[in-house]
Each structure stands twice: as structure tokens, then as C-alpha cells.
Amino acid sequence: AQSVTQLGSHVSVSEGALVLLRCNYSSSVPPYLFWYVQYPNQGLQLLLKYTSAATLVKGINGFEAEFKKSETSFHLTKPSAHMSDAAEYFCAVINMKTSYDKVIFGPGTSLSVIP
Amino acid sequence: DTAVSQTPKYLVTQMGNDKSIKCEQNLGHDTMYWYKQDSKKFLKIMFSYNNKELIINETVPNRFSPKSPDKAHLNLHINSLELGDSAVYFCASSQFSGAPNTGELFFGEGSRLTVL
């Protein structure tokens, strides 16, 4: 069965600093991996996804993530944090060999950006 | 024009009551979901329908009953509400494309249920 862990339930960075949110997955088959963002009082929206093509994936708002099979990781980064990046971030995995969509979400990391 | 819309956005009700949440998507997707987000922001899938057929039914109490009248609508009815049902319920949709599927979900804004 697939699972996702996110190290650090809360991360604080200064405006302009590097953002690094960690995600590790467990899957017996090649996974598809995703990062979603949830702004306060809103639903989730997709930031980026890995679907077995390029291991470095670029997403919206300057975010990117790198798939590292040897480390079973899919960490999310952004070179320079902006105040508007403050939100909850979820890593997610899907088993590509099932016959239906079942996206499993990690517990989330709350990102705070300090002015 | 909202892609995935849920109503109502807020529900406050007493224990033991019955309530429903409605969801509609205008993206032409054929798969819809209900997710529950608890107070710690943890997201858990509850149900999924593909073309009106139930395909995912997680270990959810029988008091929760989903219904999909057509592929653009998915409703959630909850009987005999309990304090532990307080949460934000999210509807989502995706285009199920068989294998490989994309797993990209489009979420509504959520329905915050408070049981007193």
C-alpha cells in the first residue's frame, strides 16, 4: 500500500529565503507523485506532479520538486519565499497500477513566511 | 464560472440531525470524490464515483450515504450526526483516463460542518 510522510508539520521561513518542504513516499510500484497547496478557507489546488517523465518537475508560482527514487523522496522547493506562499502544502501519491484514482495525501506541512 | 461547487459552505447543526451536502462540477470529468479534512488538516478519502458507479468506499460509517444522480453531481447525506463528524468536507473531480490516470484532482471550496 502507498503512503506519504511529510517531515515537519510546520515550517517557517523568512521572506526571500529558500523554501524546502520534505516528502517521502512508500510504494511497491512506480508512483505518481503530487504536491497540492491549500490557502486558508479554500480547497486544494495542484502545484505540480511527477508522472515518470523528467525527475525535476516545475510547477506554478516558482515551485519545483525532484523525484529521487533512491531516497524515495519528492521534496518541494522554491528559491525565494513570498508572503503569498503562506499556506498548507500536501504531498500525495497514487498507485499507477490500480484501475481507479485513489490519491493518498500526506499529513500536510503548514508554511509560514516571516516578513 | 466555478469548476467544482459545493453547497452549503457552512452547516451548523445539533447532534442526531440529518444533513446533506451537494456538489456539482462543470469540467466534464467522469470521476468525483468526497474527502474529509479533520481539525488537524488531515485529508481522508471517503467515496469515489466514476460515471455514477461507486468505485471507492472507504471505511466510513453507514450513516454516510453518497449519491450520484449523474456524472456531474455527487451528494453526501449524513444521518444521525455525531460530534466527531465535525470537519470540512471536500468534493473533488478528475478525468479518469484508465491506465495511466493522471490523479489530478480539482477541489471545491469545502463545506464546514459543525455538530453541536
Side-chain angles (χ1 to χ4, degrees):
Chain A
Q2 296 78 33
S3 66
V4 174
T5 55
Q6 294 181 239
L7 186 62
S9 59
H10 189 90
V11 171
S12 289
V13 299
S14 297
E15 192 174 15
L18 171 73
V19 175
L20 171 61
L21 304 181
R22 300 178 186 274
C23 171
N24 288 87
Y25 69 91
S26 170
S27 178
S28 57
V29 297
Y32 277 17
L33 293 160
F34 308 83
W35 276 99
Y36 281 83
V37 61
Q38 183 181 25
Y39 298 104
N41 298 314
Q42 293 187 27
L44 284 73
Q45 64 182 85
L46 184 69
L47 267 181
L48 49 79
K49 63 182 180 184
Y50 165 77
T51 57
S52 75
T55 56
L56 182 63
V57 180
K58 293 188 185 297
I60 61 172
N61 302 337
F63 284 93
E64 62 181 39
E66 187 172 7
F67 173 71
K68 292 187 176 180
K69 186 177 178 181
S70 60
E71 299 177 8
T72 61
S73 69
F74 189 57
H75 301 331
L76 182 71
T77 60
K78 182 174 180 177
S80 176
H82 192 271
M83 295 298 293
S84 61
D85 294 327
E88 192 82 21
Y89 291 80
F90 294 91
C91 186
V93 65
I94 188 169
N95 181 348
M96 284 312 304
K97 295 211 170 174
T98 56
S99 59
Y100 50 80
D101 290 290
K102 186 174 178 181
V103 180
I104 306 298
F105 287 89
T109 298
S110 177
L111 175 67
S112 298
V113 182
I114 305 164
Chain B
D1 204 17
T2 306
V4 181
S5 57
Q6 301 178 223
T7 54
K9 194 165 185 178
Y10 300 96
L11 301 95
V12 180
T13 189
Q14 300 286 332
M15 269 176 37
N17 285 351
D18 303 338
K19 287 293 178 187
S20 293
I21 307 171
K22 296 186 175 183
C23 179
E24 176 182 4
Q25 55 96 2
N26 62 8
L27 298 167
H29 290 164
D30 55 15
T31 307
M32 296 183 72
Y33 312 78
W34 281 112
Y35 277 85
K36 179 181 179 181
Q37 186 173 49
D38 63 23
S39 58
K40 295 184 178 179
K41 302 284 188 179
F42 188 75
L43 270 164
K44 187 176 188 304
I45 190 168
M46 301 173 69
F47 302 103
S48 176
Y49 274 77
N50 176 257
N51 274 323
K52 302 192 294 176
E53 180 185 349
L54 181 66
I55 56 173
I56 297 175
N57 185 353
E58 294 294 288
T59 49
V60 176
N62 291 337
R63 299 181 295 102
F64 290 80
S65 51
K67 188 168 286 186
S68 181
D70 56 61
K71 73 173 191 176
H73 295 85
L74 179 62
N75 303 324
L76 183 66
H77 187 74
I78 315 170
N79 291 324
S80 304
L81 279 156
E82 300 178 357
L83 293 176
D85 298 332
S86 294
V88 181
Y89 292 85
F90 284 101
C91 177
S93 72
S94 70
Q95 185 55 41
F96 174 62
S97 54
N101 52 42
T102 63
E104 180 174 346
L105 302 176
F106 292 78
F107 282 82
E109 292 199 338
S111 297
R112 182 177 295 276
L113 171 65
T114 303
V115 182
L116 303 175

